[in-house]
Protein backbone atom coordinates (compact mmCIF):
# COMPACT_ATOMS: atom_id res chain seq x y z
CA UNK A 1 0.00 0.00 0.00
CA UNK A 2 1.30 3.34 -0.88
CA UNK A 3 2.01 6.05 1.59
CA UNK A 4 -0.94 8.13 0.37
CA UNK A 5 -3.42 5.34 0.91
CA UNK A 6 -2.17 4.75 4.47
CA UNK A 7 -2.61 8.41 5.36
CA UNK A 8 -6.15 8.43 3.94
CA UNK A 9 -7.14 5.38 5.98
CA UNK A 10 -5.72 6.89 9.18
CA UNK A 11 -7.65 10.14 8.60
CA UNK A 12 -10.96 8.26 8.13
CA UNK A 13 -10.46 6.36 11.36
CA UNK A 14 -9.91 9.57 13.23
CA UNK A 15 -13.11 11.07 11.77
CA UNK A 16 -15.15 8.10 12.94
CA UNK A 17 -13.97 8.43 16.54
CA UNK A 18 -14.50 12.28 16.80
CA UNK A 19 -17.90 13.66 18.07
CA UNK A 20 -18.87 16.69 16.07
CA UNK A 21 -22.35 17.22 17.55
CA UNK A 22 -23.04 20.80 18.71
CA UNK A 23 -23.76 21.72 22.28
CA UNK A 24 -27.13 23.16 21.14
CA UNK A 25 -28.39 19.66 20.37
CA UNK A 26 -27.59 18.36 23.81
CA UNK A 27 -30.45 18.37 26.32
CA UNK A 28 -30.20 20.95 29.09
CA UNK A 29 -29.00 19.58 32.38
CA UNK A 30 -31.71 19.09 35.00
CA UNK A 31 -31.82 22.01 37.46
CA UNK A 32 -33.48 21.41 40.82
CA UNK A 33 -36.53 23.66 41.29
CA UNK A 34 -37.10 25.21 44.72
CA UNK A 35 -40.83 25.03 45.41
CA UNK A 36 -40.69 26.85 48.73
CA UNK A 37 -42.90 30.03 48.89
CA UNK A 38 -41.15 33.27 48.18
CA UNK A 39 -40.94 35.68 51.08
CA UNK A 40 -43.36 38.62 50.83
CA UNK A 41 -41.76 41.95 50.26
CA UNK A 42 -42.33 44.63 52.83
CA UNK A 43 -42.26 47.40 50.26
CA UNK A 44 -45.49 49.45 50.25
CA UNK A 45 -45.38 49.66 46.44
CA UNK A 46 -45.63 45.87 45.96
CA UNK A 47 -48.06 44.97 48.73
CA UNK A 48 -51.52 46.48 49.27
CA UNK A 49 -53.57 45.95 52.35
CA UNK A 50 -57.17 45.04 51.66
CA UNK A 51 -59.79 46.94 53.61
CA UNK A 52 -62.26 44.78 55.48
CA UNK A 53 -65.75 44.99 54.03
CA UNK A 54 -68.44 46.28 56.32
CA UNK A 55 -72.11 47.20 56.01
CA UNK A 56 -71.78 50.38 58.05
CA UNK A 57 -73.30 53.50 56.46
CA UNK A 58 -71.00 56.28 57.55
CA UNK A 59 -73.41 59.02 56.45
CA UNK A 60 -75.74 58.05 59.31
CA UNK A 61 -74.82 58.45 62.98
CA UNK A 62 -74.35 55.19 64.83
CA UNK A 63 -76.97 54.26 67.39
CA UNK A 64 -75.01 54.15 70.63
CA UNK A 65 -77.99 53.55 72.93
CA UNK A 66 -80.05 55.78 75.12
CA UNK A 67 -77.03 57.69 76.43
CA UNK A 68 -76.76 59.43 79.76
CA UNK A 69 -78.64 62.65 79.02
CA UNK A 70 -82.07 62.88 80.64
CA UNK A 71 -83.74 64.41 77.58
CA UNK A 72 -82.33 61.71 75.28
CA UNK A 73 -83.59 58.97 77.58
CA UNK A 74 -86.99 60.68 77.68
CA UNK A 75 -87.24 60.63 73.88
CA UNK A 76 -86.39 56.92 73.76
CA UNK A 77 -89.01 56.08 76.38
CA UNK A 78 -91.78 58.16 74.75
CA UNK A 79 -91.07 56.79 71.26
CA UNK A 80 -91.17 53.21 72.52
CA UNK A 81 -94.45 53.85 74.32
CA UNK A 82 -95.83 55.34 71.11
CA UNK A 83 -94.96 52.24 69.07
CA UNK A 84 -96.61 49.74 71.44
CA UNK A 85 -100.23 51.02 71.24
CA UNK A 86 -100.84 49.29 74.59
CA UNK A 87 -100.50 50.41 78.24
CA UNK A 88 -97.25 49.37 79.92
CA UNK A 89 -95.78 49.11 83.40
CA UNK A 90 -93.01 51.50 84.29
CA UNK A 91 -90.58 48.68 85.11
CA UNK A 92 -91.20 46.96 81.76
CA UNK A 93 -90.71 50.21 79.88
CA UNK A 94 -87.43 50.85 81.72
CA UNK A 95 -86.11 47.38 80.83
CA UNK A 96 -87.12 47.53 77.16
CA UNK A 97 -85.67 50.99 76.62
CA UNK A 98 -82.59 50.55 78.87
CA UNK A 99 -83.44 53.76 80.72
CA UNK A 100 -83.54 54.36 84.49
CA UNK A 101 -87.21 55.34 84.51
CA UNK A 102 -87.90 53.43 87.72
CA UNK A 103 -84.85 54.80 89.59
CA UNK A 104 -84.17 58.31 88.24
CA UNK A 105 -86.57 60.74 89.92
CA UNK A 106 -85.86 63.62 87.48
CA UNK A 107 -86.46 61.43 84.42
CA UNK A 108 -89.67 60.04 85.90
CA UNK A 109 -91.08 63.50 86.61
CA UNK A 110 -90.34 64.64 83.05
CA UNK A 111 -91.89 61.46 81.71
CA UNK A 112 -95.10 61.97 83.66
CA UNK A 113 -95.28 65.66 82.68
CA UNK A 114 -95.00 64.87 78.96
CA UNK A 115 -98.09 66.04 77.05
CA UNK A 116 -98.36 62.72 75.18
CA UNK A 117 -97.99 60.40 78.16
CA UNK A 118 -101.10 59.21 80.01
CA UNK A 119 -100.86 57.64 83.47
CA UNK A 120 -103.67 55.61 85.03
CA UNK A 121 -103.28 55.83 88.83
CA UNK A 122 -105.65 52.91 89.39
CA UNK A 123 -103.68 50.39 87.35
CA UNK A 124 -100.33 52.26 87.44
CA UNK A 125 -100.00 51.81 83.68
CA UNK A 126 -98.66 54.28 81.12
CA UNK A 127 -99.96 54.75 77.58
CA UNK A 128 -99.37 57.11 74.69
CA UNK A 129 -101.96 59.76 73.86
CA UNK A 130 -102.50 59.50 70.11
CA UNK A 131 -104.13 62.24 68.09
CA UNK A 132 -106.88 59.83 67.01
CA UNK A 133 -108.35 56.89 68.87
CA UNK A 134 -109.63 54.12 66.60
CA UNK A 135 -108.74 50.49 65.97
CA UNK A 136 -110.94 49.38 63.08
CA UNK A 137 -112.06 50.40 59.61
CA UNK A 138 -115.50 51.69 60.63
CA UNK A 139 -114.11 53.96 63.33
CA UNK A 140 -111.52 55.24 60.84
CA UNK A 141 -114.23 56.22 58.37
CA UNK A 142 -116.18 57.99 61.14
CA UNK A 143 -113.10 60.03 62.06
CA UNK A 144 -112.50 60.97 58.41
CA UNK A 145 -116.15 62.06 58.05
CA UNK A 146 -115.95 64.19 61.20
CA UNK A 147 -112.77 65.91 60.06
CA UNK A 148 -114.08 66.53 56.52
CA UNK A 149 -117.26 68.16 57.84
CA UNK A 150 -115.03 70.61 59.70
CA UNK A 151 -113.56 71.69 56.38
CA UNK A 152 -110.37 69.70 55.88
CA UNK A 153 -108.75 66.35 55.39
CA UNK A 154 -106.47 64.27 57.59
CA UNK A 155 -102.79 63.49 56.92
CA UNK A 156 -102.35 59.76 56.42
CA UNK A 157 -99.18 59.85 58.53
CA UNK A 158 -101.17 61.00 61.57
CA UNK A 159 -103.67 58.18 61.05
CA UNK A 160 -100.85 55.66 60.72
CA UNK A 161 -99.37 56.81 64.05
CA UNK A 162 -102.67 56.08 65.73
CA UNK A 163 -103.27 52.77 63.94
CA UNK A 164 -100.56 51.08 61.87
CA UNK A 165 -103.16 49.33 59.67
CA UNK A 166 -104.69 52.67 58.63
CA UNK A 167 -103.03 52.93 55.15
CA UNK A 168 -104.35 49.54 54.07
CA UNK A 169 -107.84 50.41 55.35
CA UNK A 170 -107.74 53.75 53.52
CA UNK A 171 -106.92 52.02 50.23
CA UNK A 172 -109.90 49.70 50.76
CA UNK A 173 -112.18 52.65 51.47
CA UNK A 174 -110.85 54.39 48.35
CA UNK A 175 -111.69 51.33 46.24
CA UNK A 176 -115.20 51.32 47.72
CA UNK A 177 -115.66 55.01 46.88
CA UNK A 178 -116.00 56.11 50.49
CA UNK A 179 -112.96 58.42 50.59
CA UNK A 180 -110.86 60.55 48.27
CA UNK A 181 -107.07 60.34 48.54
CA UNK A 182 -104.25 62.61 47.40
CA UNK A 183 -100.86 61.06 46.67
CA UNK A 184 -97.30 62.27 46.27
CA UNK A 185 -96.16 62.89 42.69
CA UNK A 186 -92.78 61.22 43.18
CA UNK A 187 -93.66 57.73 44.44
CA UNK A 188 -97.46 57.78 44.72
CA UNK A 189 -97.59 57.42 48.50
CA UNK A 190 -100.76 58.29 50.42
CA UNK A 191 -100.71 61.91 51.54
CA UNK A 192 -104.16 63.25 52.54
CA UNK A 193 -107.57 61.59 52.85
CA UNK A 194 -111.02 63.19 52.57
CA UNK A 195 -114.53 61.81 52.94
CA UNK A 196 -116.36 61.41 49.63
CA UNK A 197 -119.76 62.96 50.25
CA UNK A 198 -121.04 62.18 46.74
CA UNK A 199 -121.00 58.44 46.24
CA UNK A 200 -120.05 57.18 42.75
CA UNK A 201 -123.47 56.06 41.52
CA UNK A 202 -125.25 56.68 38.25
CA UNK A 203 -128.19 58.41 39.96
CA UNK A 204 -126.35 60.85 42.20
CA UNK A 205 -123.21 61.22 40.10
CA UNK A 206 -119.74 61.36 41.51
CA UNK A 207 -118.33 58.76 39.13
CA UNK A 208 -114.90 59.12 37.60
CA UNK A 209 -114.58 60.75 34.20
CA UNK A 210 -113.76 58.28 31.44
CA UNK A 211 -110.18 58.17 30.22
CA UNK A 212 -111.21 59.18 26.69
CA UNK A 213 -112.54 62.55 27.87
CA UNK A 214 -109.54 63.07 30.13
CA UNK A 215 -107.18 62.59 27.19
CA UNK A 216 -109.19 65.02 25.06
CA UNK A 217 -109.09 67.62 27.83
CA UNK A 218 -105.33 67.35 28.29
CA UNK A 219 -104.73 67.59 24.54
CA UNK A 220 -106.23 71.09 24.45
CA UNK A 221 -103.57 73.78 24.22
CA UNK A 222 -103.94 77.44 25.18
CA UNK A 223 -102.79 79.73 22.32
CA UNK A 224 -100.08 82.29 22.92
CA UNK A 225 -100.81 85.96 23.47
CA UNK A 226 -100.40 87.02 19.82
CA UNK A 227 -102.68 84.30 18.43
CA UNK A 228 -105.20 84.90 21.19
CA UNK A 229 -105.46 88.62 20.40
CA UNK A 230 -105.78 87.84 16.69
CA UNK A 231 -108.63 85.41 17.30
CA UNK A 232 -110.41 87.83 19.58
CA UNK A 233 -110.18 90.65 17.04
CA UNK A 234 -111.48 88.35 14.30
CA UNK A 235 -114.56 87.69 16.42
CA UNK A 236 -115.03 91.38 17.21
CA UNK A 237 -113.87 91.03 20.81
CA UNK A 238 -111.24 92.81 22.84
CA UNK A 239 -108.98 91.61 25.60
CA UNK A 240 -109.83 92.89 29.04
CA UNK A 241 -107.43 95.38 30.56
CA UNK A 242 -106.31 95.63 34.14
CA UNK A 243 -108.42 97.80 36.43
CA UNK A 244 -107.18 101.33 36.65
CA UNK A 245 -105.44 102.13 39.89
CA UNK A 246 -106.03 105.15 42.07
CA UNK A 247 -105.36 108.48 40.45
CA UNK A 248 -101.90 109.84 41.21
CA UNK A 249 -101.81 112.70 43.64
CA UNK A 250 -100.84 116.13 42.43
CA UNK A 251 -97.59 117.78 43.39
CA UNK A 252 -97.42 119.15 46.86
CA UNK A 253 -97.84 122.95 47.18
CA UNK A 254 -95.88 123.19 50.40
CA UNK A 255 -92.65 125.12 50.26
CA UNK A 256 -89.40 123.60 51.24
CA UNK A 257 -88.17 124.38 54.71
CA UNK A 258 -91.64 125.08 56.08
CA UNK A 259 -93.89 122.73 57.91
CA UNK A 260 -97.64 122.90 58.08
CA UNK A 261 -99.07 125.73 60.20
CA UNK A 262 -97.39 128.74 61.70
CA UNK A 263 -94.18 128.24 63.57
CA UNK A 264 -94.28 128.74 67.28
CA UNK A 265 -92.00 131.26 68.98
CA UNK A 266 -88.79 129.73 70.10
CA UNK A 267 -88.26 129.72 73.83
CA UNK A 268 -84.99 130.95 75.25
CA UNK A 269 -83.32 128.66 77.70
CA UNK A 270 -81.42 130.43 80.45
CA UNK A 271 -78.38 128.52 81.63
CA UNK A 272 -76.48 131.19 83.55
CA UNK A 273 -78.82 131.20 86.51
CA UNK A 274 -76.27 132.85 88.80
CA UNK A 275 -76.74 136.11 86.83
CA UNK A 276 -80.48 136.04 87.17
CA UNK A 277 -81.86 139.17 88.84
CA UNK A 278 -79.03 141.53 87.93
CA UNK A 279 -79.06 141.13 84.14
CA UNK A 280 -81.96 140.27 81.88
CA UNK A 281 -80.46 137.47 79.77
CA UNK A 282 -83.39 137.43 77.34
CA UNK A 283 -82.27 140.81 75.90
CA UNK A 284 -79.04 142.05 74.43
CA UNK A 285 -76.75 143.29 77.15
CA UNK A 286 -75.27 146.75 76.68
CA UNK A 287 -72.92 147.83 79.45
CA UNK A 288 -73.52 151.29 80.88
CA UNK A 289 -70.79 153.88 80.75
Amino acid sequence: MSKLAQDAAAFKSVLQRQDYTSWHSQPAPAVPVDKSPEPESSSPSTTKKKRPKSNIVYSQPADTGTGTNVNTQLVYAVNHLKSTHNPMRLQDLAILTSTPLDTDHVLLEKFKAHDRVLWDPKTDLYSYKHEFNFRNKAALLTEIQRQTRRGGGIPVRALKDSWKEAPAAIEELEAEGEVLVTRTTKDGQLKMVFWNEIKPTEDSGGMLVEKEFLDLWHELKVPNDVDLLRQLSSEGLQATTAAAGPAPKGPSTKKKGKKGGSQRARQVRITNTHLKGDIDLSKDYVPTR
Side-chain angles (χ1 to χ4, degrees):
M1 182 181 294
S2 63
K3 181 66 176 175
L4 182 60
Q6 292 178 358
D7 293 339
F11 179 74
K12 291 179 180 180
S13 63
V14 172
L15 289 177
Q16 293 176 359
R17 295 194 303 267
Q18 188 71 26
D19 187 9
Y20 291 97
T21 56
S22 174
W23 64 274
H24 293 285
S25 62
Q26 299 294 331
V31 179
V33 180
D34 187 7
K35 296 184 179 180
S36 60
E38 296 181 358
E40 296 182 357
S41 175
S42 60
S43 175
S45 61
T46 58
T47 59
K48 294 183 179 180
K49 296 181 178 180
K50 295 183 179 180
R51 294 183 178 180
K53 296 182 179 180
S54 61
N55 296 327
I56 301 175
V57 181
Y58 292 97
S59 61
Q60 299 294 334
D63 189 359
T64 57
T66 57
T68 58
N69 188 274
V70 176
N71 295 327
T72 305
Q73 295 172 350
L74 177 64
V75 171
Y76 267 85
V78 173
N79 288 340
H80 184 80
L81 188 64
K82 178 181 178 181
S83 62
T84 56
H85 296 278
N86 293 317
M88 294 185 63
R89 294 171 56 247
L90 186 66
Q91 293 77 7
D92 297 338
L93 186 60
I95 294 173
L96 294 174
T97 58
S98 300
T99 55
L101 271 175
D102 51 349
T103 58
D104 192 340
H105 180 70
V106 177
L107 178 59
L108 180 59
E109 291 298 327
K110 286 191 174 185
F111 183 73
K112 288 183 176 180
H114 198 277
D115 56 348
R116 288 293 181 179
V117 175
L118 297 176
W119 175 55
D120 189 357
K122 296 180 180 180
T123 59
D124 197 19
L125 296 177
Y126 294 85
S127 59
Y128 187 83
K129 181 182 178 182
H130 292 277
E131 188 174 356
F132 304 100
N133 187 15
F134 54 87
R135 289 294 182 273
N136 52 62
K137 182 178 173 181
L140 171 62
L141 180 60
T142 303
E143 191 65 40
I144 295 174
Q145 291 174 351
R146 184 184 299 111
Q147 188 69 19
T148 304
R149 289 192 181 100
R150 295 176 182 175
I154 304 178
V156 178
R157 181 179 298 179
L159 298 174
K160 185 179 179 181
D161 292 340
S162 302
W163 186 37
K164 62 180 181 179
E165 303 296 336
I170 290 173
E171 291 181 350
E172 293 179 2
L173 292 173
E174 182 186 16
E176 296 171 2
E178 296 290 340
V179 297
L180 300 174
V181 179
T182 59
R183 302 175 183 269
T184 58
T185 56
K186 183 178 180 180
D187 49 4
Q189 297 295 326
L190 300 176
K191 188 176 180 181
M192 296 287 293
V193 58
F194 303 83
W195 177 49
N196 187 12
E197 300 184 21
I198 303 176
K199 299 298 182 290
T201 58
E202 295 182 358
D203 297 335
S204 61
M207 299 185 67
L208 295 177
V209 180
E210 296 180 3
K211 186 177 183 302
E212 179 183 359
F213 296 99
L214 290 176
D215 295 338
L216 292 174
W217 173 262
H218 290 298
E219 287 177 0
L220 296 176
K221 295 182 179 180
V222 179
N224 54 30
D225 296 342
V226 178
D227 295 339
L228 184 60
L229 293 175
R230 187 182 296 111
Q231 292 180 10
L232 289 174
S233 61
S234 64
E235 298 293 337
L237 302 175
Q238 293 182 354
T240 58
T241 57
K249 296 181 180 180
S252 177
T253 57
K254 296 181 180 179
K255 296 182 179 180
K256 293 183 178 180
K258 290 186 178 181
K259 298 181 180 180
S262 60
Q263 294 184 355
R264 293 179 297 179
R266 231 171 157 185
Q267 296 181 357
V268 179
R269 183 179 179 184
I270 299 175
T271 57
N272 298 333
T273 54
H274 63 282
L275 299 177
K276 190 175 181 181
D278 300 335
I279 300 175
D280 188 1
L281 298 178
S282 62
K283 299 180 180 179
D284 294 336
Y285 173 71
V286 179
T288 57
R289 295 181 180 180

